[in-house]
Amino acid sequence: METDGEWSLEQVEGADWGDPPPEARPVVARVHRLRRKPIGQLTDNDLRVLVAQRVGIAALLPRVLDRLAENPLVEADFFPGDLLTVVLRVPAEHWRAHPDQHARIERIITSVADPDPELTDEITAFRART
């Protein structure tokens, strides 16, 4: 599902989660806030957080794959390739349901020259699952 970037995940998905509970962990509160932010304004790190938490994958993955096609080793917050790493952890069911996206991520990971050992392990695990 593609969006024009002006809509938030709440609007795209038609689901308002409301405010996070007062006792919510920081990541939960952040996810609630990010769901209200226009998708076109989400930073690489925002995308990393949402995908890692399995939130909005259907709406966000086309945009994330575009970003990774530009730079597979984009550093969202922690290390070069951290956005790619969380994408490789997206459940296999998503990739089976979206073969076009699976083909795109395969092209992206194939383009990574000399990945570090941790990323190589992630790629190997991804390919074994999908």
Side-chain angles (χ1 to χ4, degrees):
M1 168 187 305
E2 301 262 354
T3 67
D4 65 5
E6 298 295 320
W7 288 29
S8 68
L9 280 175
E10 281 190 353
Q11 291 169 307
V12 169
E13 294 177 344
D16 181 350
W17 287 10
D19 293 327
E23 70 281 359
R25 291 182 172 204
V27 71
V28 171
R30 183 172 182 191
V31 166
H32 277 255
R33 283 192 312 275
L34 292 176
R35 285 183 44 76
R36 294 179 174 162
K37 189 174 182 179
I39 291 172
Q41 294 178 18
L42 294 171
T43 66
D44 291 338
N45 193 41
D46 295 339
L47 294 168
R48 182 194 59 77
V49 168
L50 289 165
V51 172
Q53 295 301 312
R54 309 278 197 287
V55 174
I57 289 175
L60 298 177
L61 218 46
R63 183 174 296 271
V64 172
L65 292 174
D66 288 345
R67 182 68 181 105
L68 291 173
E70 294 171 14
N71 178 5
L73 298 178
V74 64
E75 182 174 346
D77 191 37
F78 296 114
F79 56 88
D82 58 356
L83 182 58
L84 176 58
T85 297
V86 298
V87 169
L88 293 174
R89 295 176 183 166
V90 167
E93 298 78 34
H94 176 86
W95 301 112
R96 284 193 286 275
H98 299 88
D100 56 321
Q101 292 179 6
H102 185 261
R104 285 189 74 197
I105 193 64
E106 278 293 342
R107 285 192 301 275
I108 290 166
I109 58 180
T110 300
S111 75
V112 177
D114 196 28
D116 66 38
E118 292 83 14
L119 183 54
T120 298
D121 291 346
E122 291 287 347
I123 291 169
T124 301
F126 169 79
R127 287 180 168 152
R129 282 192 316 277
T130 62

